[in-house]
Amino acid sequence: MDIATQLVQAYLQINGYFTVIEYPLFEVVKHGGAKTVTDIDVLAVRFARKTNSSKSVRHRTIQGPVSNISDPALGCSDQHTDMIVGEVKQGRARVNPGTRNLHVIEAALSRFGCCASEEAPRLAEHLQRHGSARADSGHIVRMVLFASTGEHAPRGWHLVRLDAVIIFLEHYLETYWDVLAHVELREPALAWFALLQKCRFHLNRMNVGDTANSINPNLTI
């Protein structure tokens, strides 16, 4: 798996999303068999949050490595279930032709269980035009581009810079290291940041603009 995709997966999981990475879409051809059309880099769902998800058991609080308040850079709302159709680029902000294909988006939405197959064409067309859409069930579907450079995402997509992802993850591990130091983090990107903490090594945050200022100070595990 691409390292940038691993970073994005860890970032989304900390922000409360269930993720599927490199989701393959294929076309059935004549005389049997199939050919791969494209892979969707990231499909992720975050349910609406109405109460704190922690559960007290025998005076102990059981929680997972997830923030109670999502990173503002993601632009998601607590009031609605949020589904992300995401693309990850180590370079500049651009979208692959496969993700611009209406049939690809339709297939991703219906096969992932986001909506009924009858609703998928309308949602896919609205997503292509506006970058976000509301399903009949009430949840929001958004096209999100994660990229190293660029200030704008095409076709109304929401843009999240990878430097913001990196700084968010490092800040999260730093803030809650007194707890996370005792947890075995198996997700590769989080394990890498944990190793940096164990080595007492901190990334140089100079020359990243105002990205660090967007880190949410109310993170909690």
Side-chain angles (χ1 to χ4, degrees), residues 11 14-15 67 69-74 160-176 193 203 205 208-220:
Y11 172 74
I14 292 298
N15 279 282
S67 62
I69 303 175
S70 62
D71 184 6
L74 271 173
V160 178
R161 291 273 297 271
L162 290 178
D163 53 1
V165 171
I166 292 171
I167 293 173
F168 180 94
L169 290 175
E170 185 190 30
H171 180 76
Y172 183 83
L173 267 293
E174 284 181 352
T175 304
Y176 299 102
F193 279 100
L203 299 177
R205 295 182 182 175
V208 293
D210 295 327
T211 305
N213 295 330
S214 68
I215 297 298
N216 191 330
N218 298 314
L219 290 174
T220 182

Side-chain angles (χ1 to χ4, degrees), residues 4-94:
T5 304
Q6 290 184 346
L7 286 170
V8 169
Q9 177 175 241
Y11 172 74
L12 290 174
Q13 289 177 354
I14 292 298
N15 279 282
Y17 286 81
F18 295 95
T19 61
V20 174
I21 302 301
E22 297 177 351
Y23 185 73
L25 292 168
F26 54 87
E27 179 182 5
V28 178
V29 297
K30 292 182 179 180
H31 310 297
K35 64 176 182 179
T36 300
V37 177
T38 189
D39 289 339
I40 302 291
D41 289 342
V42 180
L43 290 169
V45 173
R46 179 180 186 266
F47 296 109
R49 296 187 172 188
K50 301 186 182 300
T51 59
N52 193 310
S53 60
S54 64
K55 182 179 179 181
S56 180
V57 179
R58 296 183 180 179
H59 307 293
R60 294 185 180 182
T61 300
I62 300 177
Q63 298 179 344
V66 61
S67 62
N68 278 342
I69 303 175
S70 62
D71 184 6
L74 271 173
C76 62
S77 169
D78 287 345
Q79 305 304 313
H80 305 282
T81 295
D82 186 51
M83 176 175 177
I84 288 176
V85 180
E87 192 157 329
V88 182
K89 291 294 178 190
Q90 290 197 28
R92 63 184 177 85
R94 60 183 179 85

Side-chain angles (χ1 to χ4, degrees), residues 51-221:
T51 59
N52 193 310
S53 60
S54 64
K55 182 179 179 181
S56 180
V57 179
R58 296 183 180 179
H59 307 293
R60 294 185 180 182
T61 300
I62 300 177
Q63 298 179 344
V66 61
S67 62
N68 278 342
I69 303 175
S70 62
D71 184 6
L74 271 173
C76 62
S77 169
D78 287 345
Q79 305 304 313
H80 305 282
T81 295
D82 186 51
M83 176 175 177
I84 288 176
V85 180
E87 192 157 329
V88 182
K89 291 294 178 190
Q90 290 197 28
R92 63 184 177 85
R94 60 183 179 85
V95 178
N96 285 337
T99 317
R100 296 178 185 270
N101 187 321
L102 278 174
H103 298 298
V104 166
I105 301 302
E106 288 177 25
L109 296 179
S110 59
R111 294 294 293 170
F112 198 63
C114 168
C115 63
S117 57
E118 296 79 11
E119 186 187 1
R122 177 189 68 81
L123 277 180
E125 183 176 358
H126 202 277
L127 284 169
Q128 290 284 44
R129 290 182 178 181
H130 305 286
S132 65
R134 183 187 294 271
D136 290 343
S137 60
H139 64 259
I140 303 299
V141 186
R142 300 187 298 139
M143 310 294 284
V144 180
L145 179 60
F146 300 88
S148 299
T149 60
E151 301 300 326
H152 303 284
R155 292 178 178 264
W157 286 46
H158 184 75
L159 176 66
V160 178
R161 291 273 297 271
L162 290 178
D163 53 1
V165 171
I166 292 171
I167 293 173
F168 180 94
L169 290 175
E170 185 190 30
H171 180 76
Y172 183 83
L173 267 293
E174 284 181 352
T175 304
Y176 299 102
W177 185 240
D178 58 333
V179 174
L180 295 175
H182 306 287
V183 177
E184 185 176 359
L185 299 172
R186 296 182 180 274
E187 204 288 326
L190 290 181
W192 183 76
F193 279 100
L195 177 60
L196 294 183
Q197 289 295 319
K198 291 176 181 177
C199 296
R200 299 182 180 180
F201 180 86
H202 303 283
L203 299 177
N204 186 347
R205 295 182 182 175
M206 298 178 64
N207 302 320
V208 293
D210 295 327
T211 305
N213 295 330
S214 68
I215 297 298
N216 191 330
N218 298 314
L219 290 174
T220 182
I221 58 170

